[in-house]
Amino acid sequence: MQVVIKLSVHDEKSRAKAMKAAVGVDGVNSASLQQDKDLIEVTGEGIDVVLLTNQLRKSLKYAEVVSVNPVEEKKIEENKEKEKNKEPEATIQYLMGCPPPQYICAPCPPYQDPSCSIL
């Protein structure tokens, strides 16, 4: 999903706030600011557009949704092909040795003291 939102950004500080707010929303993969048009373009899967807009409004006071478009299928297919062609990552496997030997002791005789008067 690709979302384009119009913002009111005037300086570097407000641009940084916009980027931080946009990237903080779940599902966002990338965000880019177009400085000459005061637009932010956000791409990702499962983006909550209302939540994204509200977060930008909280930090910048003005945010308006311009367009919401699905991502092209070619890009998704290319990403899947790249994932298939990747070499599997090395895994670390820990092997545990035999358990320590268990020692068997002779049973202890019961304690018998004739001067005990607990009873």
Side-chain angles (χ1 to χ4, degrees), residues 2 7 22 42 46 67 93 96 100 112 115:
Q2 180 179 15
L7 303 172
V42 180
S67 67
Q93 185 177 22
M96 300 299 289
Q112 295 179 354
S115 65

Side-chain angles (χ1 to χ4, degrees), residues 38-78:
D38 291 338
L39 297 174
I40 187 167
E41 184 178 319
V42 180
T43 57
E45 294 181 17
I47 300 171
D48 188 357
V49 179
V50 175
L51 178 65
L52 175 63
T53 308
N54 286 338
Q55 291 293 328
L56 290 169
R57 283 182 184 156
K58 283 182 183 178
S59 63
L60 300 174
K61 306 297 182 207
Y62 176 78
E64 179 183 347
V65 177
V66 176
S67 67
V68 177
N69 299 321
V71 176
E72 296 176 11
E73 293 296 324
K74 292 179 184 177
K75 291 182 181 178
I76 295 173
E77 291 175 7
E78 289 175 2

